[in-house]
Amino acid sequence: MTKAILIAALAGFASAMLAAAATAGAGFGVLFTLIAPLPLMIVGIGWHPLLAVLGGAATSAALIILLRGSAGVMFAIMVMVPAFLASSAIWQRRDISGNIVGQLCVGAALYGGLVTVIGAFSISFDYETLQAHLLKQSELVYRFMSNIPANTPLEPVSGSNPRGFIDAYAQAVAPISAAMLAVIYMLNIWLAARITRYSGRLPVEWTNVPTMRLPRWTMPALAASVFGGLMSGYPGFILEIMGASLVVAVAALGYAAVHHVTTGHTSRSFVLGPLWILTFISGISALFMLGAGLADLVFGWRDRILARRNNRNI
C-alpha cells in the first residue's frame, strides 16, 4: 500500500511538472505540457484508477495551498479527471475490442469539448460578456501579430480588414481549442496504453487501434451538434464546441480505417507516408480523413474493401 501511494504521489508530481513546463517557453516546454496527463494515466491504467485520483487530488491540493489560485482546480479538471475516466473505462472491461477503443476516442474528444466549455463558463456565464472577452483577446492577438501598439487605431495590413480577422478569430478560438484538447487526450490515452502494455501492467487485452469503430450514436450526435451550433447564445456555442470535438474523433476514425485497409498491402508505405507528411505539414489531409471517417460511419466502405479482399483470398 505504501508503495502504491508513493507511486501515485510521484505520478501527480510528474504531471504537475509537465503541466508547468509551458513556462519554459516554446519547444520542449510545450511538448511536455501536452503529455501532462500521461503519468497519472499510466498509474491509473497500470495500477488502479483510484491511484490516479489519489495522486491527482494530492497534487491539486498542494497547488491550491501553494499558489492560492485556480491552478489546483485547473489541474484537477484538465489532468486528474481525464486520467481517472480513461483508466476506469479500461479497468471495467475484460478485454479491449475495436469498439471500446472507439469509445475511448469519442470520450477523449468529448472531454476536450467539456473542458473548453468549463473554460468559457469560468470567464462568464453571460454569453455576451464571453463574446466581448473573446473579441478583446482576438484584438490583442491581431495587434501582436501586426506589431500595432495598444491604444492606436487599427489599420489594414496588406490590404486586409483587421476587424474581419478579429471577428473570425474570436469565433474560431473555442472550437479550435476543443479540437486541440481532443487530440491531446487521445494521444495521452494511446501512449499510456502502449506504455503499460509494454511494461506488462495493462489489465486487459489490447487490439490494434486501426480496427477501432466509433459508437453508432456518433453520427447522429455530430449532425445534431452541427445543426444545433447554428442556434444563438450559449446553447449554440456549446453544441458548436462539442461538434468540433466529434469532428476530431471522426477524423481519427478515418486515419484508423486507412491504416486498417492498407495492412499487409504492398503499397502501404506509399499511402501512409505522404498521408502523415501532409498531415504534419499542412493538416489538409485531415479534411480528407474526416471524409473517410464519415464515409466509414455512414457507408461502411472499410468493411466492403476488407470483405472483397477476404473473398479473393479464399
Side-chain angles (χ1 to χ4, degrees):
M1 177 62 72
T2 302
K3 181 180 179 181
I5 294 175
L6 178 60
I7 291 173
L10 290 175
F13 178 77
S15 288
M17 292 298 99
L18 290 171
T23 58
F28 285 108
V30 175
L31 176 61
F32 289 151
T33 301
L34 298 181
I35 58 173
L38 184 59
L40 284 177
M41 283 190 178
I42 292 174
V43 168
I45 296 173
W47 278 263
H48 196 278
L50 291 180
L51 288 183
V53 175
L54 177 62
T59 305
S60 297
L63 291 174
I64 292 173
I65 295 172
L66 295 175
L67 301 182
R68 300 181 182 277
S70 59
V73 177
M74 291 176 59
F75 180 84
I77 294 174
M78 299 187 69
V79 178
M80 181 191 74
V81 174
F84 170 73
L85 293 177
S87 56
S88 294
I90 292 175
W91 270 70
Q92 289 173 2
R93 300 283 179 151
R94 291 184 177 179
D95 61 330
I96 295 292
S97 64
N99 186 45
I100 186 58
V101 172
Q103 290 175 0
L104 287 168
C105 177
V106 172
L110 291 177
Y111 193 80
L114 177 61
V115 169
T116 306
V117 172
I118 292 174
F121 283 149
S122 69
I123 296 173
S124 177
F125 284 97
D126 179 69
Y127 183 71
E128 298 299 328
T129 302
L130 171 66
Q131 288 301 304
H133 175 84
L134 293 177
L135 285 171
K136 182 179 179 180
Q137 296 302 312
S138 180
E139 180 177 332
L140 292 175
V141 171
Y142 181 84
R143 288 183 180 274
F144 175 79
M145 294 175 60
S146 304
N147 197 24
I148 300 176
N151 300 322
T152 58
L154 289 174
E155 299 179 355
V157 177
S158 300
S160 61
N161 180 14
R163 186 51 57 185
F165 170 86
I166 292 172
D167 292 341
Y169 185 89
Q171 291 295 322
V173 64
I176 291 175
S177 298
M180 292 178 62
L181 284 172
V183 173
I184 290 171
Y185 287 130
M186 290 179 193
L187 175 64
N188 278 272
I189 293 174
W190 176 72
L191 285 173
R194 288 186 69 88
I195 292 171
T196 52
R197 180 185 181 185
Y198 287 138
S199 65
R201 298 202 65 91
L202 188 64
V204 293
E205 292 295 327
W206 190 265
T207 59
N208 292 328
V209 173
T211 63
M212 78 172 185
R213 313 284 176 154
L214 297 188
R216 293 182 178 179
W217 51 262
T218 303
M219 192 62 206
L222 177 61
S225 62
V226 169
F227 287 107
L230 300 176
M231 295 189 299
S232 60
Y234 251 125
F237 177 79
I238 293 173
L239 288 173
E240 181 183 14
I241 289 175
M242 291 304 177
S245 302
L246 287 174
V247 162
V248 174
V250 175
L253 176 67
Y255 280 98
V258 171
H259 278 71
H260 194 183
V261 298
T262 56
T263 300
H265 202 279
T266 55
S267 62
R268 190 169 198 256
S269 59
F270 296 100
V271 174
L272 299 184
L275 172 63
W276 283 107
I277 290 174
L278 288 174
T279 298
F280 289 117
I281 291 178
S282 64
I284 294 178
S285 60
L287 296 177
F288 293 99
M289 292 302 97
L290 172 61
L294 289 171
D296 193 48
L297 276 174
V298 177
F299 304 110
W301 65 269
R302 174 181 16 178
D303 291 333
R304 297 182 182 182
I305 292 177
L306 294 175
R308 287 199 297 268
R309 183 183 304 171
N310 293 332
N311 290 335
R312 288 197 301 266
N313 294 333
I314 293 176

